């Protein structure tokens, strides 16, 4: 092979890779969830803040006794986030408004393309076909990458045991209920039916139908339909989602889209680059040793980009 | 065996006729009180004073969709049901399923492509929203859980009521 041809090939190869980087046609990022995935639609206009969902979750998941009882309204004084001892919490917003407070249940949203799963290097997380994002605590090494990766600040970390690190979060009652087609414990106990369980695809239609039928009741947006590539938990709200503690700055692209271009480069760098540069090096060395066949003109030509 | 079956069918159809004919409906017994939450485990069953509500509200359609003798009031319902005749069943549990999210209910919903009322509330949701919604709107009537149905011992354990007044979680963070 002529040195000129070799460099030309390198240039073409490099351009192809560079173009491939910006191509959105890569498999990840376009996944719209499993067709039979289930989900829960949270209608915040219906929630009365009774915290029964918290109690039901606590008992179903056999979590430790709460710090204070589940009918203690004092917990609403501060915003809470899910922890290893409480996979779901209810927060109160808009207390000063004449229309009364709005309550928002927080738990793992069970993304179609979970960032926790992407960030986990031991593959502790699985997105099941039923829509739940579950984890295997046996392989978890406690690196807590998932806690940083999660766009909703969900995974909690069990700090009580230093020897057995476990990240804990809502699993949509996968082991005890979802696997058998049954609704999660929080949905079943909700007195107001603020939580609606069903196929995710059906829930999206249902949510838009509620907005259409009673436009004064809702803002025209279903949170979780598109955010970070879509989530199994969907929300309806009477006021802007930003007023209820939702992150409204999230992109509709899954978190993996932010890193997949970079991660796609890694195998190339690790496997192709050593061979490529060794080749160039060897070729250059070879040319140096047997370089008497070249005149000055051709050398100048070769150094052109 | 077959005559036994016939007897049941006959009895049922007589029952259905007596309920569905308007004349019979007016004479149909309107219960003065109804025991709700009959199978409640966490909260006790309780008596709903129907007579008192009839006295103060008077309009059946304020609570029931398909009432006896009143036309449909909700403009959204009236689009289709303006001339619908009163239904045989007016009780909440007659239409609203006690298990709205069971695999069977969801499968039946998916299989029925013609169904219009896809967002029909379950029994528990319908009753709580009806009661609490109206009580909030009218500014009177109970809205707290235990104002209507006191907790059972099992319910108290479920809500960890013995922990009441204990230090809330957020206090530790400060």
């Amino acid at each position: 092979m002529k040195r000129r041809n070799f460099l030309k090939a390198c240039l073409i190869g490099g351009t192809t890779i560079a173009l491939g980087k910006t191509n959105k046609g890569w498999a990840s990022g376009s996944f719209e969830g499993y067709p039979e995935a289930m989900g829960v639609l949270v209608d915040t206009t219906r929630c009365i803040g009774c915290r029964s969902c918290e109690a039901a979750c606590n008992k179903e998941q056999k979590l430790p006794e709460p710090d204070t009882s589940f009918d203690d309204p004092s917990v609403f004084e501060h915003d809470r986030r899910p922890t290893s001892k409480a996979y779901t919490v209810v927060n109160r917003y808009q207390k000063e408004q004449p229309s009364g407070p709005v309550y928002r249940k927080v738990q793992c949203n069970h993304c179609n393309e979970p960032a926790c799963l992407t960030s986990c290097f031991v593959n502790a997380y699985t997105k099941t076909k039923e829509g739940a994002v579950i984890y295997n605590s046996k392989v978890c090494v406690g690196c807590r990458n998932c806690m940083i990766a999660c766009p909703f600040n969900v995974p909690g970390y069990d700090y009580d045991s230093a020897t057995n690190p476990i990240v804990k979060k809502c699993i949509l009652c996968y082991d005890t209920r979802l696997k058998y087609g049954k609704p999660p414990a929080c949905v079943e106990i909700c007195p107001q039916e603020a939580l609606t369980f069903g196929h995710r695809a059906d829930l999206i239609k249902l949510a838009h139908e509620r907005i259409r039928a009673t436009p004064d009741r809702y803002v025209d947006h279903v949170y979780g339909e598109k955010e970070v590539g879509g989530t199994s938990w969907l929300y309806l709200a009477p006021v802007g989602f930003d007023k209820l503690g939702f992150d409204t700055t999230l992109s509709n692209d899954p978190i993996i889209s932010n890193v997949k271009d970079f991660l796609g480069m890694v195998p190339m760098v690790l496997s192709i680059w050593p061979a490529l540069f060794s080749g160039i090096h060897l070729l250059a060395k070879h040319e140096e040793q047997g370089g008497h066949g070249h005149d000055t003109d051709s050398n100048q030509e070769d150094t052109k980009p | 065996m077959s005559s036994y079956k016939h007897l049941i069918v006959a009895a049922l159809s007589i029952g259905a006729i007596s309920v569905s004919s308007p004349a019979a409906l007016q004479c149909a017994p309107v219960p003065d009180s109804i025991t709700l939450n009959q199978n409640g485990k966490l909260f006790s069953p309780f008596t709903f004073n129907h007579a008192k509500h009839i006295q103060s509200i008077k309009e059946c359609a304020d609570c029931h969709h398909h009432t006896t003798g009143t036309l449909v009031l909700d403009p959204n319902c009236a689009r289709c049901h303006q001339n619908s005749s009163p239904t045989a069943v007016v009780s909440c549990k007659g239409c609203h399923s006690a298990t709205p999210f069971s695999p069977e209910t969801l499968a039946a919903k998916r299989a029925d492509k013609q169904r219009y009322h896809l967002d029909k509330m379950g029994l528990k949701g319908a009753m709580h929203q009806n009661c609490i919604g109206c009580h909030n709107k009218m500014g009177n009537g109970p809205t707290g859980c235990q104002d209507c149905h006191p907790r059972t011992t099992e319910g108290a354990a479920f809500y960890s009521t013995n922990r009441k007044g204990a230090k809330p979680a957020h206090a530790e963070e400060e």
Side-chain angles (χ1 to χ4, degrees):
Chain A
M1 187 199 252
K2 281 239 172 105
R3 193 173 161 197
R4 188 178 303 173
N5 289 343
F6 177 74
L7 290 173
K8 227 184 244 173
C10 287
L11 205 71
I12 291 165
T15 319
T16 317
I17 289 162
L19 285 174
K21 256 175 68 176
T22 53
N23 186 359
K24 291 272 173 192
W26 284 25
S28 59
S30 54
F31 179 62
E32 288 182 356
Y34 292 105
E36 289 302 298
M38 307 302 284
V40 179
L41 172 66
V42 185
D43 192 328
T44 57
T45 67
R46 293 182 179 177
C47 182
I48 50 169
C50 71
R51 297 181 64 212
S52 293
C53 49
E54 290 187 38
C57 177
N58 178 281
K59 299 298 173 298
E60 180 77 17
Q61 298 297 329
K62 301 187 172 60
L63 299 173
E65 280 277 288
D67 293 312
T68 177
S69 80
F70 287 111
D71 55 1
D72 185 352
S74 74
V75 295
F76 291 132
E77 283 159 23
H78 299 259
D79 255 15
R80 296 176 298 155
R81 52 157 288 190
T83 66
S84 63
K85 290 174 184 143
Y87 297 169
T88 185
V89 292
V90 178
N91 285 330
R92 182 175 64 190
Y93 300 92
Q94 302 275 297
K95 195 190 167 191
E96 295 79 25
Q97 297 302 311
S99 53
V102 179
Y103 297 94
R104 173 202 167 192
K105 181 185 183 296
V106 188
Q107 73 296 305
C108 171
N109 284 328
H110 299 272
C111 305
N112 288 345
E113 290 200 56
C116 52
L117 184 151
T118 310
S119 72
C120 182
F121 64 87
V122 291
N123 275 340
Y125 284 94
T126 309
K127 173 80 177 174
T128 74
K129 66 176 181 359
E130 295 89 351
V133 178
I134 57 169
Y135 59 89
N136 181 357
S137 58
K138 286 189 184 115
V139 299
C140 174
V141 293
C143 73
R144 285 172 263 175
N145 272 346
C146 51
M147 294 177 73
I148 299 161
C150 177
F152 304 109
N153 274 329
V154 163
Y157 190 76
D158 196 351
Y159 290 96
D160 290 351
S161 167
T163 51
N164 184 26
I166 294 176
V167 164
K168 289 184 162 182
K169 67 162 199 77
C170 161
I171 54 166
L172 251 176
C173 290
Y174 181 76
D175 296 341
T176 51
R177 290 162 167 272
L178 189 70
K179 207 160 60 171
Y180 309 107
K182 292 200 285 183
C186 52
V187 172
E188 201 163 87
I189 198 147
C190 181
Q192 285 280 93
E193 216 173 295
L195 311 176
T196 305
F197 174 73
H199 291 88
R200 183 178 184 269
D202 295 347
L203 292 177
I204 290 170
K205 289 182 204 154
L206 215 76
H208 284 291
E209 181 56 26
R210 276 188 205 171
I211 295 171
R212 193 199 64 78
T214 45
D216 297 339
R217 197 180 167 102
Y218 304 103
V219 290
D220 190 6
H221 184 73
V222 180
Y223 193 93
E225 181 185 1
K226 297 204 173 89
E227 278 78 3
V228 294
T231 59
S232 276
W233 279 68
L234 306 157
Y235 287 85
L236 284 171
V239 292
F241 283 92
D242 54 326
K243 295 188 179 74
L244 304 179
F246 286 88
D247 187 348
T248 49
T249 62
L250 292 175
S251 147
N252 287 348
D253 285 328
I255 303 294
I256 190 173
S257 302
N258 300 331
V259 292
K260 73 174 185 219
D261 295 344
F262 167 73
L263 291 176
M265 299 279 285
V266 172
M268 186 198 75
V269 171
L270 290 183
S271 60
I272 301 173
W273 279 22
L276 184 71
F277 290 122
S278 307
I280 292 172
H281 174 71
L282 286 175
L283 207 72
K285 221 168 177 188
H286 174 78
E287 292 288 337
E288 260 175 36
Q289 280 166 2
H292 50 82
H294 285 275
D295 58 22
T296 329
D297 281 356
S298 70
N299 269 342
Q300 276 173 348
E301 212 176 299
D302 281 344
T303 50
K304 280 180 189 168
Chain B
M1 184 64 192
S2 107
S3 66
Y4 179 63
K5 259 187 192 165
H6 281 139
L7 206 72
I8 293 178
V9 170
L12 282 176
S13 51
I14 289 167
I17 290 161
S18 70
V19 175
S20 59
S21 72
L25 270 173
Q26 268 149 28
C27 313
V30 177
D32 282 340
S33 66
I34 304 159
T35 305
L36 297 176
N37 198 35
Q38 282 178 352
N39 305 316
K41 281 185 186 141
L42 305 176
F43 296 93
S44 324
F46 68 101
T47 309
F48 168 71
N49 193 336
H50 196 214
K52 193 178 148 197
H53 282 84
I54 295 171
Q55 248 175 11
S56 56
I57 299 167
K58 295 188 176 68
E59 183 59 77
C60 300
D62 278 1
C63 297
H64 299 272
H65 309 285
H66 303 280
T67 59
T68 55
T70 350
L71 288 171
V72 173
L73 297 178
D74 190 320
N76 192 40
C77 306
R79 290 189 297 152
C80 294
H81 293 294
Q82 186 143 38
N83 299 315
S84 297
S85 52
T87 52
V89 182
V90 291
S91 71
C92 307
K93 66 178 176 189
C95 278
H96 295 277
S97 164
T99 53
F101 306 123
S102 70
E104 296 79 25
T105 312
L106 289 183
K109 215 177 183 179
R110 275 214 141 182
D112 185 359
K113 300 282 180 216
Q114 299 297 313
R115 188 183 294 213
Y116 175 77
H117 291 291
L118 285 169
D119 200 8
K120 190 168 75 182
M121 205 131 4
L123 182 61
K124 186 165 61 173
M127 298 196 82
H128 280 99
Q129 284 203 36
N130 212 358
C131 297
I132 299 173
C134 190
H135 290 174
N136 273 333
K137 206 165 74 184
M138 307 298 276
N140 59 14
T143 53
C145 308
Q146 298 208 73
D147 297 344
C148 281
H149 39 51
R151 270 194 204 116
T152 60
T153 322
E154 199 183 332
F158 191 85
Y159 285 86
S160 304
T161 45
N162 60 328
R163 307 281 297 177
K164 189 147 193 170
K167 202 166 69 165
H170 53 76
E172 289 168 13
E173 290 161 17
E174 288 163 358

